[in-house]
Amino acid sequence: LTTPVADDDCGVTTFSNDFTSLSNLCGNTGTTSVTWTAQDACGNTTTRNRTVSVSDTTPPTFTTAPSPLTLECAGVGNTAAINAWVASAAAEDACGSATVTHNFTALTPGSCAGTGSANVTWTATDECGLQTQHSATVEVLDTTPPVFAAAVGNLLLAERRQPNADR
């Protein structure tokens, strides 16, 4: 609420208003009636009533929007990395707070064990119900060849002869 301007032929004019708060529709929005009072040095007053309305028409914005993520297959070790990635999304809103939800439940299995992918959509919702969405893909690949757990040596086979019945 900015101070209005008024003229007085006999001196300085002071201003006051009775604003206390908005009607709190959602977030920091709402409506109220404000009465402005202008008073000159001799005590003469003039009042003006105005309705002040604040509405929220802007959806929240992502402050952290995860980029696509590719991981090498690490068995259950990928679970922590994927959960941290999903939880890293954050949003803010100019008229209040925003909450972030996502649709991730599990990877769609890939063509070999331990691999898969998921397209994750995060939804930021402000207190007035306005929403913004962001999507990214997480993928688990297996590009590492297997490793022998123990050294493999040469195997020698001895020829085995049948006992000679003639002898």
Side-chain angles (χ1 to χ4, degrees), residues 28-122:
N28 294 317
T29 66
T31 303
T32 191
S33 178
V34 178
T35 301
W36 282 98
T37 302
Q39 184 174 3
D40 67 15
C42 295
N44 299 310
T45 62
T46 302
T47 60
R48 293 285 186 263
N49 291 320
R50 295 289 183 252
T51 299
V52 176
S53 296
V54 177
S55 60
D56 184 2
T57 59
T58 305
T61 56
F62 279 94
T63 55
T64 304
S67 298
L69 177 65
T70 301
L71 299 168
E72 180 66 21
C73 181
V76 295
N78 289 326
T79 301
I82 293 171
N83 287 340
W85 177 76
V86 169
S88 70
E92 66 183 9
D93 186 63
C95 266
S97 63
T99 57
V100 178
T101 58
H102 60 81
N103 68 343
F104 178 74
T105 55
L107 296 177
T108 301
S111 60
C112 57
T115 65
S117 65
N119 186 36
V120 180
T121 300
W122 291 266

